Amino acid sequence: MKKFAIAIHAGAETVKREDISKEQETQYREGLQEALAAGNAVLEKGGSALDAVVAAIEKMENNPLFNAGIGGNLNIHGETAFDAAIMDGKNLKSGSVGSIRYVKNPIKLARVVMEKCRHNFMVDTGAEEFALSQGLELKPPSHFVTEEKLKSWHQNYYDDYLKGHD
Amino acid sequence: TVGAVALDQNGNLAAATSTGGLNSQLKGRLSDSPLIGAGTYANNPYCAVSCTGKGEVIMRGVLAHEVYALVKYAGEGLQTASEKAVTMHKALLDGDMGLVSLNQQQEVAFAFNTNMMKRGYSLGGAAPLVALWDNE
């Protein structure tokens, strides 16, 4: 039987255990399982590792619990902005995007940069213009901002500015 | 930050990382995630790696490529390489870091210096295993 596997993370941080409720823990675990299932579904059918990592990341970008896509952190101006990358171990091709604000799934844009762009790292409005040219789905900035992140931004503005976390 | 590494049935590895950055980061600040070799790296047959944590430290440590280098050039096993990459420059690169890595032999490694890293894996389509805390 041929080997296949997927592994994921959704952020490392130093937190007090009492700050994470049992309900939150359950939601995190469910979100991780959903992402693994999406990647596994690709691999089981003989799909590529590239397709599997995109499927898993897309699930997590769409999950407001994780710091990517919906639920992303807010910058000093209270805005979301996203970075993403993908790399193919077979041929060392890669695609990266940075500081993008309007693309629903940044990982999909990184993938098309890798496959269809003559550069391998695009940022800001140029990356978004490329997303438009490739027919990727765009969303308004409000799509990505959750009530929880907005509240946290208001409460922790100065502390976060000083220490921060990706 | 979220990340994924995968091995397909043809033996190919891939890595991907996506992030919303830091709370209250300056506008225009880029993270390690899109920097190949820092937050993301894949190279058959050695490993695929995705990182998370304090981006500025991960960039300076070129963390994802460090795992690859330790496997390829120092002959370390994947778990040892992953742990060394996170801990070996502690005095110079002080900050929260975590990573997931995978090789062509279907070995998965997690390494982190925090008390929590949301993580999980599945081998050969088996039921996924997920964990949050450092003692799981």
Side-chain angles (χ1 to χ4, degrees):
Chain A
M1 189 173 168
K2 289 186 175 177
K3 291 176 178 175
F4 63 95
I6 183 163
I8 60 172
H9 68 74
E13 55 196 315
T14 303
V15 292
K16 291 177 185 168
R17 288 204 177 212
E18 56 268 30
D19 287 346
I20 307 292
S21 69
K22 288 294 174 195
E23 187 186 358
Q24 279 177 298
E25 279 199 24
T26 302
Q27 289 173 337
Y28 286 148
R29 290 177 200 277
E30 287 172 351
L32 292 166
Q33 284 177 338
E34 184 183 31
L36 286 167
N40 251 334
V42 172
L43 296 169
E44 280 175 341
K45 289 184 218 163
S48 72
L50 282 174
D51 287 338
V53 292
V54 170
I57 296 245
E58 187 181 351
K59 285 287 182 190
M60 292 189 279
E61 286 179 340
N62 293 341
N63 188 329
L65 293 173
F66 303 132
N67 176 26
I70 300 170
N73 285 332
L74 304 181
N75 70 13
I76 195 168
H77 302 296
E79 304 164 335
T80 52
F82 304 104
D83 307 333
I86 189 165
M87 187 166 187
D88 186 345
K90 178 173 60 179
N91 50 27
L92 304 189
K93 287 185 175 176
S94 70
S96 296
V97 294
S99 290
I100 57 167
R101 300 197 59 211
Y102 302 98
V103 178
K104 184 187 175 200
N105 289 109
I107 195 62
K108 286 186 174 176
L109 180 54
R111 176 81 180 266
V112 295
V113 166
M114 179 178 76
E115 293 181 336
K116 297 182 179 175
C117 185
R118 63 195 172 100
H119 307 299
N120 60 2
F121 196 168
M122 299 289 289
V123 301
D124 211 314
T125 52
E128 284 153 355
E129 285 174 18
F130 188 72
L132 266 175
S133 75
Q134 298 300 314
L136 292 190
E137 188 175 359
L138 304 187
K139 288 287 183 184
S142 58
H143 169 79
F144 303 100
V145 180
T146 63
E147 199 173 312
E148 187 191 356
K149 285 293 165 93
L150 194 58
K151 192 176 167 188
S152 170
W153 183 78
H154 282 297
Q155 287 176 341
N156 304 312
Y157 183 84
Y158 290 106
D159 282 351
D160 288 340
Y161 178 71
L162 291 174
K163 60 186 181 188
H165 239 96
D166 279 334
Chain B
T1 304
V2 303
V5 290
L7 167 70
D8 64 32
Q9 295 189 35
N10 293 317
N12 293 317
L13 295 164
T17 315
S18 182
T19 189
L22 304 171
N23 275 323
S24 301
Q25 68 184 12
L26 294 177
K27 189 178 178 77
R29 178 258 185 189
L30 287 170
S31 69
D32 61 287
S33 299
L35 298 179
I36 296 303
T40 307
Y41 192 71
N43 193 330
N44 292 357
Y46 301 100
C47 55
V49 185
S50 173
C51 302
T52 177
K54 191 167 184 181
E56 281 68 14
V57 176
I58 293 170
M59 287 182 211
R60 288 188 284 116
V62 203
L63 194 64
H65 191 272
E66 188 75 12
V67 176
Y68 162 78
L70 286 164
V71 170
K72 182 175 181 182
Y73 301 113
E76 300 285 8
L78 192 66
Q79 183 66 47
T80 303
S82 299
E83 288 172 4
K84 278 190 175 178
V86 168
T87 59
M88 69 193 300
H89 299 299
K90 195 175 176 183
L92 298 172
L93 302 174
D94 185 22
D96 289 353
M97 288 183 273
L99 63 87
V100 57
S101 57
L102 171 67
N103 66 16
Q104 230 175 25
Q105 286 71 53
Q106 210 181 32
E107 294 171 333
V108 173
F110 295 102
F112 50 102
N113 62 6
T114 58
N115 69 336
M116 177 193 239
M117 184 166 84
K118 307 173 198 90
R119 62 200 187 275
Y121 71 96
S122 173
L123 304 179
L129 296 172
V130 300
L132 305 179
W133 300 104
D134 53 358
N135 61 352
E136 289 186 70

